[in-house]
Amino acid sequence: MTRYFISLLAAVLLTPAGLIAAGPTAGGLGGPELTPVGAQRSGSEDGTIPPWTGGIKAPIPGYEPGDRHLDPYPGDRPLFTITAANVQQYAEHLSAGQIALLQRYPESWRMNVYPSRRSAAYPDHVYAALKTNAVDAELISGGGGVRNAVVSSAFPLPEQGVEVVWNHNLRWRGIHVTRSVNMAPLTRRGNYRVVQTLEDWALPYAQPGESKLKTDFPNLLGAYKYKVLAPGFQAGAGLLALESINYSEVPRQSWTSSPDLRRVLRTPFSGYDNPSPYSDGLRFNDEIDMFNGSPVLFDWKLLGKQELYIPYNAYRLQSSALTAEDILQKKHINPEHARYELHRVWVVEGTVKVEQRNPNARKLEERGHLYSRRVFYIDEDTWQIAVADNYDREGKLWRFSEGHMINFYDVPVPWYAMETYYDLKQRRYMVTGISNQREVIRFGQSINPRLFGPNALDYYVR
């Protein structure tokens, strides 16, 4: 079996004939072959991946509004464990980064593989929007933007790699989300200091129908802001970023607030391979949420689909029974709390367009990037990146990240409960999303635009 395979369905969609048949094919979303998001409805031939039967669309018994999300599968036990000793047996279902981590820490890292549960689900209005997008959405020349898309991923029947990347960027994550997030970069010795932040996401693009905000700002994907709560010497810092649906016309805009200066300042640039705040250099800005921002610095190739062991249904990692000390170990997270399942993923490879990095370039396409190549493994049921392998300028594997997903079934919406970022050169890693002992995530239905302007950032961080 080859490392990459293209299913019969995907092969049809990726041919010129598939382009001609876009209308009838789009009508197949939600039918007997395709799920409403464009995934293959059937399971795998050997039965290890089950068919999609709708996911979890309502709270499970025992869950009360405002509670931390209970594990829908508390009785599941690992089917087997992948280690450095048996990694070759499972290599065709692993990414290069996953294999490298197993080989780097053979005495301590392992992957417990559980039964595959296709729990992902979205509200019905998201499914309706995806069907509309399959017909109407267009990629802007150069790949820097999308037009005529609404609510969620623009290309449920992708024909190019860049379309799959945009599907991740535009996927539905709710309308107004407030979440408490802890992050911790660890030293080689395993020491760390937890940075506590409060995040607010406002996503007018995700709202169904028309609104004044969408009319006034048609290219606005969403606004993201955060403030630091602890440790004390960093408390009061904050950031606001406005994300675009068309970076060719409206690039990212961002502002920062410093407790030392006590003022809000416009930042000249806050994307791509600039180190993200409080990451200790272990993550770039465009790796937040696994990937964000314009994809124009890379040429993206759609390699097809692969069956991969990916983090899934990671309810244990967000359990209130755990603390940061329970999760964070010296070289990697505690493997006993991670859950891996076999799922089909879209495989997209990005090759940097400009070999020489030039952060002062006037055109984004001429800027370059510290990564020469990136490989994204994107879950077919959610359109979000599950695993990312990132390579340095010499073509060597440098960093590897995973998004540990759960379905917030009270909405419902699949999103990350935790993200892990491993730097294989430095032998260090960082984790974001350690919210176990903090307030649970909140999903709202309305957006007050006055709360997401630069003038509001100063008040927000106080």
Side-chain angles (χ1 to χ4, degrees), residues 18-339:
L19 293 176
I20 297 172
T25 305
L29 291 176
E33 295 183 353
L34 298 178
T35 73
V37 304
Q40 186 174 329
R41 186 180 288 272
S42 63
S44 58
E45 292 184 3
D46 61 4
T48 53
I49 299 175
W52 185 80
T53 56
I56 306 177
K57 291 203 69 175
I60 66 172
Y63 172 83
E64 296 292 339
D67 286 353
R68 192 166 296 278
H69 292 76
L70 303 174
D71 188 348
Y73 315 111
D76 283 359
R77 297 293 180 267
L79 301 174
F80 54 89
T81 299
I82 304 174
T83 67
N86 64 6
V87 64
Q88 292 306 316
Q89 180 180 346
Y90 303 101
E92 66 178 328
H93 300 309
L94 297 169
S95 82
Q98 290 175 322
I99 293 173
L101 195 67
L102 287 162
Q103 294 175 337
R104 178 64 55 87
Y105 305 116
E107 303 299 324
S108 56
W109 179 244
R110 56 192 178 276
M111 298 169 61
N112 291 327
V113 178
Y114 288 76
S116 298
R117 307 285 193 177
R118 295 178 72 177
S119 58
Y122 291 97
D124 289 339
H125 76 269
V126 174
Y127 296 148
L130 284 160
K131 182 167 286 192
T132 298
N133 289 346
V135 177
D136 295 340
E138 298 176 355
L139 186 70
I140 291 171
S141 178
V146 172
R147 65 167 62 96
N148 300 329
V150 294
V151 176
S152 188
S153 300
F155 308 104
L157 306 172
E159 297 155 356
Q160 305 176 57
V162 68
E163 293 178 344
V164 178
V165 176
W166 269 111
N167 281 349
H168 167 84
N169 278 356
L170 298 177
R171 74 196 192 281
W172 198 79
R173 285 159 285 184
I175 296 169
H176 183 189
V177 186
T178 303
R179 62 180 188 174
S180 301
V181 175
N182 290 353
M183 64 180 70
L186 282 79
T187 69
R188 283 193 179 188
R189 295 184 177 183
N191 299 322
Y192 62 89
R193 176 185 287 113
V194 174
V195 178
Q196 297 182 8
T197 65
L198 180 65
E199 296 181 349
D200 259 297
W201 298 65
L203 299 159
Y205 170 81
Q207 291 180 305
E210 297 299 323
S211 69
K212 186 177 185 304
L213 184 59
K214 294 169 74 171
T215 301
D216 291 344
F217 302 97
N219 278 322
L220 180 62
L221 169 59
Y224 164 75
K225 67 179 181 180
Y226 74 79
K227 62 179 177 181
V228 178
L229 304 178
F233 68 90
Q234 293 175 325
L239 178 137
L240 169 68
L242 302 182
E243 291 297 323
S244 181
I245 303 168
N246 182 358
Y247 292 100
S248 301
E249 291 186 6
V250 183
R252 171 181 289 165
Q253 303 175 67
S254 60
W255 296 261
T256 185
S257 175
S258 166
D260 297 325
L261 297 177
R262 296 185 179 181
R263 59 186 299 186
V264 174
L265 300 174
R266 177 73 180 271
T267 55
F269 198 82
S270 63
Y272 304 107
D273 52 6
N274 295 79
S276 67
Y278 316 110
S279 68
D280 207 12
L282 296 174
R283 179 181 70 172
F284 293 142
N285 272 334
D286 67 3
E287 294 178 287
I288 296 172
D289 202 42
M290 296 295 287
F291 178 80
N292 69 89
S294 173
V296 298
L297 300 190
F298 293 81
D299 287 318
W300 299 96
K301 183 178 181 181
L302 183 57
L303 300 181
K305 280 190 177 181
Q306 180 179 354
E307 294 180 359
L308 200 77
Y309 294 115
I310 61 176
Y312 225 85
N313 294 307
Y315 291 91
R316 184 179 301 177
L317 277 176
Q318 56 93 56
S319 168
S320 58
L322 299 180
T323 64
E325 289 76 15
D326 297 321
I327 296 170
L328 302 176
Q329 294 187 340
K330 180 178 179 180
K331 302 172 182 177
H332 45 69
I333 64 171
N334 187 334
E336 288 306 303
H337 302 314
R339 174 177 176 136

Side-chain angles (χ1 to χ4, degrees), residues 418-434:
M418 184 173 294
E419 298 162 51
T420 53
Y421 301 85
Y422 294 93
D423 190 312
L424 301 173
K425 289 183 179 181
Q426 294 192 54
R427 295 177 178 261
R428 298 179 58 194
Y429 77 104
M430 73 166 290
V431 175
T432 66
I434 315 168

